[in-house]
Amino acid sequence: MGGAVAVHCAAKKRLHTLTGLIVLDVVEGTALASLAFMQSFLSSRPSSFPSVEKAIEWSVKGGSLRNIDSARVSVASTLKYNEQKQCYTWLTPLEKTETHWQGWYKGLSDLFLSSPVPKILILAGTERLDRALTIGQMQGKFQMVVLRNTGHAIQEDVPDELAKIVLNFIERNCITASGVKIPAVLRAAQLRPQE
């Protein structure tokens, strides 16, 4: 769901220092089609766990995460301890955000394509591309990388591979801590008087 927020912010030019957009496994068509099953998924997950370890175990055995080492780092931050019930519950009640789901994803592909910064879409499978993104990718409007052997939680399942892709994207687009660095060749061409 964070990918949708990032795309909306980038397209609306809310962050003046934004120099690149990286979106992980979020495509409008697939996201909208999946919403019909979201409440069912949320209601099928346990509402509480006796320990963080049991939540990690459920996350990996249930298939939402595939990397046990990553799950050991990330799952705890999605939980809070309930003193009254003496158990761990989900920190964010996602089911209460349902009224916003359509708005997060409708028009997302066009917003992504219109974002005025270098963009990369990293997917867990090519079948997730919709028409607008297929055309945009063919026109070179963004970089796309498809990863195999991963689920939706790419950053969890293959963190080392993702880190390499992100670093390559940063280098390829000359992104630095202070913004986009224009290569010397391009800078010289921009300074040269027009003939």
Side-chain angles (χ1 to χ4, degrees):
M1 294 179 178
V5 173
V7 169
H8 280 268
C9 286
K12 293 176 182 175
K13 302 176 187 171
R14 298 279 169 101
L15 303 171
H16 302 291
T17 58
L18 185 69
T19 56
L21 177 60
I22 300 170
V23 176
L24 303 180
D25 208 39
V26 177
V27 173
E28 177 182 347
T30 304
L32 288 171
S34 299
L35 291 181
F37 309 103
M38 188 65 164
Q39 278 294 358
S40 175
F41 166 76
L42 291 175
S43 65
S44 71
R45 71 181 186 164
S47 59
S48 64
F49 301 95
S51 67
V52 172
E53 292 76 24
K54 289 294 183 186
I56 292 167
E57 183 181 314
W58 175 84
S59 296
V60 174
K61 285 185 177 177
S64 62
L65 300 176
R66 297 180 183 183
N67 181 332
I68 186 72
D69 294 326
S70 179
R72 286 186 180 118
V73 172
S74 67
V75 170
S77 66
T78 66
L79 304 170
K80 63 181 176 183
Y81 189 72
N82 185 318
E83 291 287 342
Q84 288 180 327
K85 296 181 180 179
Q86 301 270 312
C87 63
Y88 290 87
T89 60
W90 299 108
L91 181 64
T92 305
L94 293 176
E95 61 280 351
K96 292 182 180 179
T97 65
E98 183 176 13
T99 57
H100 305 286
W101 295 349
Q102 288 280 334
W104 288 343
Y105 299 114
K106 195 167 185 171
L108 191 65
S109 293
D110 289 331
L111 284 174
F112 175 76
L113 293 169
S114 72
S115 298
V117 294
K119 308 172 262 308
I120 184 171
L121 178 60
I122 304 170
L123 298 173
T126 53
E127 74 281 353
R128 297 178 185 200
L129 272 188
D130 58 23
R131 179 179 163 82
L133 290 177
T134 300
I135 293 169
Q137 203 276 327
M138 290 169 62
Q139 293 173 338
K141 292 185 177 181
F142 66 97
Q143 180 184 350
M144 183 179 75
V145 176
V146 179
L147 297 173
R148 305 285 180 220
N149 303 317
T150 183
H152 176 64
I154 294 170
Q155 73 283 3
E156 301 281 340
D157 296 341
V158 289
D160 294 339
E161 192 172 351
L162 178 62
K164 289 175 187 171
I165 292 166
V166 169
L167 286 173
N168 179 272
F169 173 75
I170 290 168
E171 289 173 4
R172 179 180 182 193
N173 291 286
C174 303
I175 298 171
T176 68
S178 58
V180 176
K181 179 181 172 187
I182 300 173
V185 174
L186 291 177
R187 207 170 31 251
Q190 289 173 343
L191 295 175
R192 189 176 306 129
Q194 300 264 340
E195 296 176 5

XYZ file of all heavy atoms in Angstrom, residues 45-49 51-52 54-56 58-59 64-65 70-81 87-94 153 155-156:
291
model
N -6.462 -13.934 8.583
C -5.215 -13.907 9.344
C -5.532 -13.842 10.838
O -6.550 -13.266 11.239
C -4.314 -12.755 8.902
C -4.791 -11.394 9.284
C -3.850 -10.317 8.782
N -4.265 -9.020 9.301
C -3.523 -7.952 9.305
N -2.312 -7.992 8.788
N -3.966 -6.823 9.804
N -4.678 -14.413 11.661
C -4.930 -14.372 13.109
C -4.986 -12.925 13.608
O -4.259 -12.059 13.115
C -3.707 -15.086 13.701
C -3.116 -15.869 12.580
C -3.452 -15.129 11.330
N -5.846 -12.672 14.565
C -5.951 -11.319 15.110
C -4.925 -11.077 16.209
O -4.666 -9.937 16.574
C -7.362 -11.063 15.636
O -7.661 -12.005 16.650
N -4.359 -12.171 16.736
C -3.365 -12.019 17.805
C -2.404 -13.209 17.802
O -2.689 -14.253 17.206
C -4.054 -11.900 19.162
O -4.737 -13.101 19.460
N -1.297 -13.008 18.499
C -0.264 -14.037 18.622
C 0.238 -14.057 20.063
O 0.383 -12.996 20.680
C 0.917 -13.732 17.696
C 0.546 -13.656 16.243
C 0.254 -12.434 15.651
C 0.481 -14.806 15.473
C -0.096 -12.364 14.317
C 0.140 -14.748 14.131
C -0.157 -13.524 13.552
N 3.209 -14.689 20.941
C 4.576 -14.175 20.954
C 4.937 -13.634 19.571
O 4.289 -13.963 18.575
C 5.568 -15.282 21.338
O 5.610 -16.260 20.313
N 5.974 -12.829 19.513
C 6.471 -12.324 18.235
C 6.951 -13.498 17.382
O 6.740 -13.524 16.166
C 7.604 -11.297 18.451
C 8.264 -10.918 17.136
C 7.077 -10.052 19.154
N 5.762 -16.478 17.197
C 4.614 -17.136 16.556
C 4.117 -16.307 15.364
O 3.678 -16.856 14.354
C 3.475 -17.362 17.561
C 3.780 -18.436 18.569
C 3.895 -19.797 17.906
C 4.118 -20.895 18.918
N 4.373 -22.197 18.287
N 4.195 -14.995 15.470
C 3.798 -14.134 14.343
C 4.767 -14.302 13.178
O 4.348 -14.351 12.014
C 3.751 -12.676 14.799
N 6.045 -14.412 13.476
C 7.052 -14.637 12.439
C 6.788 -15.974 11.762
O 6.782 -16.082 10.532
C 8.472 -14.586 13.048
C 8.798 -13.166 13.509
C 9.510 -15.108 12.057
C 10.028 -13.064 14.399
N 3.977 -17.643 11.571
C 2.763 -17.556 10.748
C 3.050 -16.834 9.432
O 2.590 -17.254 8.371
C 1.649 -16.821 11.506
C 0.445 -16.622 10.650
C -0.571 -17.518 10.418
C 0.141 -15.474 9.854
N -1.479 -16.992 9.534
C -1.071 -15.734 9.173
C 0.766 -14.252 9.647
C -1.655 -14.821 8.311
C 0.183 -13.342 8.793
C -1.007 -13.629 8.130
N 3.815 -15.755 9.475
C 4.113 -14.976 8.276
C 4.860 -15.801 7.235
O 4.587 -15.699 6.038
C 4.938 -13.737 8.624
O 4.196 -12.872 9.438
N 3.085 -15.129 3.268
C 3.190 -13.688 3.005
C 4.648 -13.250 2.945
O 4.986 -12.281 2.266
C 2.411 -12.874 4.032
O 2.928 -13.082 5.329
N 5.527 -13.958 3.637
C 6.975 -13.715 3.578
C 7.667 -15.046 3.313
O 7.198 -16.089 3.763
C 7.491 -13.116 4.886
C 6.887 -11.786 5.308
C 7.421 -11.376 6.673
C 7.182 -10.709 4.288
N 14.642 -12.171 7.201
C 14.004 -10.875 7.021
C 12.774 -10.750 7.923
O 12.541 -9.708 8.527
C 13.618 -10.694 5.552
O 12.994 -9.462 5.369
N 12.002 -11.804 8.004
C 10.802 -11.794 8.852
C 11.165 -11.527 10.310
O 10.453 -10.811 11.015
C 10.062 -13.119 8.717
N 12.302 -12.067 10.743
C 12.739 -11.841 12.127
C 13.015 -10.366 12.393
O 12.896 -9.896 13.515
C 13.983 -12.671 12.425
C 13.692 -14.133 12.587
C 14.927 -14.908 13.036
N 14.590 -16.311 13.178
C 15.147 -17.293 12.470
N 16.095 -17.027 11.586
N 14.776 -18.537 12.641
N 13.381 -9.629 11.353
C 13.660 -8.199 11.500
C 12.376 -7.370 11.390
O 12.153 -6.443 12.155
C 14.681 -7.732 10.425
C 14.841 -6.224 10.442
C 16.014 -8.432 10.623
N 11.510 -7.710 10.445
C 10.394 -6.821 10.116
C 9.065 -7.097 10.827
O 8.293 -6.170 11.055
C 10.153 -6.836 8.613
O 9.694 -8.120 8.219
N 8.776 -8.310 11.140
C 7.443 -8.639 11.669
C 7.155 -7.939 12.991
O 6.047 -7.445 13.211
C 7.253 -10.168 11.775
C 5.983 -10.513 12.551
C 7.202 -10.792 10.382
N 8.126 -7.861 13.858
C 7.897 -7.242 15.182
C 7.366 -5.816 15.062
O 6.530 -5.388 15.871
C 9.177 -7.268 16.005
N 7.819 -5.074 14.050
C 7.382 -3.678 13.903
C 5.935 -3.568 13.424
O 5.370 -2.484 13.442
C 8.310 -2.926 12.956
O 8.195 -3.449 11.649
N 5.321 -4.674 13.033
C 3.923 -4.641 12.592
C 2.970 -5.013 13.722
O 1.759 -5.072 13.514
C 3.692 -5.597 11.401
O 3.890 -6.949 11.833
C 4.609 -5.267 10.242
N 3.527 -5.259 14.897
C 2.732 -5.711 16.042
C 2.839 -4.750 17.219
O 3.772 -3.964 17.305
C 3.242 -7.092 16.505
C 3.266 -8.203 15.477
C 4.026 -9.404 16.034
C 1.865 -8.593 15.057
N 1.861 -4.848 18.105
C 1.925 -4.137 19.389
C 1.458 -5.105 20.470
O 0.662 -6.007 20.209
C 1.050 -2.875 19.360
C -0.431 -3.151 19.171
C -1.242 -1.881 19.123
C -2.706 -2.218 18.829
N -3.522 -1.033 18.701
N 1.974 -4.898 21.656
C 1.592 -5.778 22.754
C 0.340 -5.242 23.428
O 0.268 -4.076 23.804
C 2.723 -5.918 23.778
C 2.430 -6.994 24.790
C 2.481 -8.335 24.432
C 2.070 -6.663 26.083
C 2.189 -9.330 25.350
C 1.768 -7.645 27.018
C 1.833 -8.979 26.640
O 1.530 -9.960 27.559
N -1.217 -10.464 24.749
C -0.812 -11.037 23.465
C -0.399 -9.907 22.515
O -0.564 -8.729 22.834
C -1.934 -11.851 22.847
S -3.388 -10.867 22.451
N 0.100 -10.286 21.365
C 0.490 -9.314 20.341
C -0.619 -9.220 19.300
O -1.167 -10.239 18.864
C 1.800 -9.739 19.660
C 2.980 -9.601 20.580
C 3.340 -10.638 21.434
C 3.720 -8.427 20.617
C 4.418 -10.508 22.294
C 4.799 -8.283 21.477
C 5.139 -9.335 22.312
O 6.199 -9.201 23.169
N -0.963 -7.997 18.935
C -1.976 -7.762 17.904
C -1.367 -6.887 16.804
O -0.297 -6.304 16.981
C -3.216 -7.060 18.500
O -2.806 -5.805 19.059
C -3.890 -7.905 19.576
N -2.066 -6.790 15.692
C -1.576 -5.981 14.574
C -1.569 -4.513 14.964
O -2.528 -4.006 15.549
C -2.442 -6.193 13.331
C -2.428 -7.615 12.853
C -3.445 -8.526 12.939
C -1.336 -8.297 12.230
N -3.047 -9.723 12.421
C -1.753 -9.618 11.969
C -0.048 -7.932 11.875
C -0.934 -10.562 11.362
C 0.773 -8.871 11.267
C 0.331 -10.166 11.018
N -0.523 -3.826 14.625
C -0.387 -2.405 14.929
C -1.392 -1.574 14.125
O -2.027 -0.667 14.641
C 1.044 -1.948 14.620
C 1.378 -0.488 14.890
C 1.269 -0.187 16.373
C 2.800 -0.183 14.405
N -1.540 -1.904 12.848
C -2.436 -1.148 11.965
C -3.654 -1.994 11.611
O -3.509 -3.057 11.016
C -1.698 -0.749 10.671
O -0.518 -0.045 11.021
C -2.579 0.111 9.783
N -4.848 -1.518 11.940
C -6.072 -2.248 11.574
C -6.428 -1.974 10.101
O -7.239 -1.110 9.793
C -7.121 -1.692 12.541
C -6.631 -0.305 12.854
C -5.131 -0.358 12.756
N -5.791 -2.699 9.190
C -5.963 -2.448 7.752
C -7.417 -2.537 7.301
O -7.830 -1.814 6.390
C -5.101 -3.424 6.947
C -3.602 -3.258 7.089
C -2.871 -4.352 6.319
C -3.164 -1.885 6.615
N 6.151 -9.345 -1.265
C 7.048 -8.645 -0.343
C 8.498 -8.778 -0.823
O 9.344 -9.399 -0.173
C 6.884 -9.193 1.071
N 11.041 -6.758 -0.897
C 12.067 -6.264 0.016
C 12.347 -7.244 1.138
O 13.432 -7.247 1.713
C 11.688 -4.883 0.574
C 10.566 -4.884 1.595
C 9.165 -5.031 1.010
O 8.983 -5.184 -0.186
N 8.174 -4.990 1.883
N 11.397 -8.091 1.430
C 11.560 -9.094 2.476
C 12.172 -10.384 1.913
O 13.042 -10.979 2.533
C 10.193 -9.447 3.095
C 9.478 -8.281 3.709
C 10.007 -7.925 5.072
O 10.658 -8.767 5.718
O 9.781 -6.791 5.503
